Amino acid sequence: MKLLYAPASPYSAKVRMAATYLNIPFEAVKVDTAAAPAILVDANPLGKIPTWLADDGTAIFDSRAIMQYLHRLSGKALYPRKDEKRTEAEVLEALCDGITDCLLAIVYEKRLRPAEIVHQPYIDRQWTKVERGLSHLEAHMPKLGKSLHGGHFSMAAMLGYLMLRFPGQWENGHVALTEWPEKFRDRFPEFSDLRPAG
Ligand SMILES: N[C@@H](CCC(=O)N[C@@H](CS)C(=O)NCC(=O)O)C(=O)O
């Protein structure tokens, strides 16, 4: 099985960490989405990563569909069995992915638009959502229980992306969140190698 990914991609990091945690073997294949290589766009018309290629050629995307696929592949080891806990994990994943969506929107706005038409109110609107999301997490810190779940990997990927692309801009007032990656690393040392990296 192959995972099409890029080192800086937070959603790819989420999936790589989860598959590694579950001991699911896969080959990580680095792709440049800007170049729209055939291996990517033939599998995923959206040209986005992560895209997972199963042994029978099935392409699976996006990251949440891949996470659910990994859950089934691992004998249901990625999300809690009890309904209430499972919903909690899925909502945590939705929140952290949603914050990541806002962060990526900001990065793309600055990277892809000519400087003179970068729309600062749009960036501010995205950042407000990031701030609200981080404050919510700070006030409701998810526990690292006996097993890690999809929500934890999404949160690790989102915080890793903040550390990579927004250093010095998010930490204020979020002490528990700044301490969380270290606690997560204690439980999952591979975070050091698999977190989003430039
Ligand atoms: N909702 C998707 C988002 C995937 C996504 O936006 N990936 C980015 C990289 S982190 C990407 O492929 N960007 C290139 C593009 O949008 O063309 C997921 O969870 O997989």
Side-chain angles (χ1 to χ4, degrees):
M1 291 186 287
K2 289 189 170 73
L3 173 69
L4 308 183
Y5 86 107
S9 158
Y11 308 103
S12 303
K14 174 177 74 162
V15 166
R16 283 177 85 201
M17 288 191 282
T20 302
Y21 174 71
L22 297 168
N23 290 315
I24 294 174
F26 66 99
E27 181 191 349
V29 178
K30 212 188 315 184
V31 293
D32 173 8
T33 53
I39 189 175
L40 175 61
V41 295
D42 288 353
N44 178 352
L46 302 174
K48 293 191 181 209
I49 48 170
T51 294
W52 184 278
L53 306 177
D55 282 338
D56 66 359
T58 308
I60 300 150
F61 55 88
D62 61 4
S63 67
R64 270 191 257 178
I66 299 172
M67 295 291 272
Q68 296 299 327
Y69 174 77
L70 297 178
H71 179 62
R72 291 187 293 275
L73 210 60
S74 64
K76 313 232 164 122
L78 186 54
Y79 292 88
R81 277 178 201 274
K82 294 209 173 112
D83 286 353
E84 202 182 318
K85 291 278 172 211
R86 174 143 185 179
T87 301
E88 244 175 59
E90 289 180 346
V91 170
L92 176 63
E93 181 173 3
L95 175 61
C96 294
D97 281 4
I99 295 173
T100 300
D101 289 344
C102 299
L103 297 173
L104 269 191
I106 293 172
V107 167
Y108 287 160
E109 178 75 13
K110 292 181 175 171
R111 184 185 296 164
L112 300 178
R113 278 185 192 276
E116 60 280 10
I117 59 164
V118 165
H119 192 53
Q120 191 59 41
Y122 176 73
I123 291 177
D124 295 344
R125 187 179 160 86
Q126 299 305 318
W127 191 252
T128 300
K129 292 172 192 279
V130 171
E131 284 281 5
R132 274 203 306 258
L134 294 180
S135 299
H136 178 90
L137 284 169
E138 182 79 16
H140 306 89
M141 282 304 285
K143 294 203 174 63
L144 288 167
K146 256 192 287 166
S147 320
L148 299 177
H149 59 57
H152 295 130
F153 291 108
S154 174
M155 181 155 157
M158 179 273 288
L159 289 171
Y161 195 63
L162 275 169
M163 290 153 72
L164 174 68
R165 294 280 188 243
F166 297 85
Q169 297 172 57
W170 64 277
E171 299 88 342
N172 210 4
H174 303 131
V175 176
L177 279 178
T178 58
E179 290 170 350
W180 195 85
E182 204 49 51
K183 293 185 180 144
F184 180 73
R185 196 193 323 265
D186 288 343
R187 294 290 305 279
F188 183 68
E190 295 88 342
F191 176 67
S192 302
D193 290 335
L194 299 180
R195 62 184 251 199

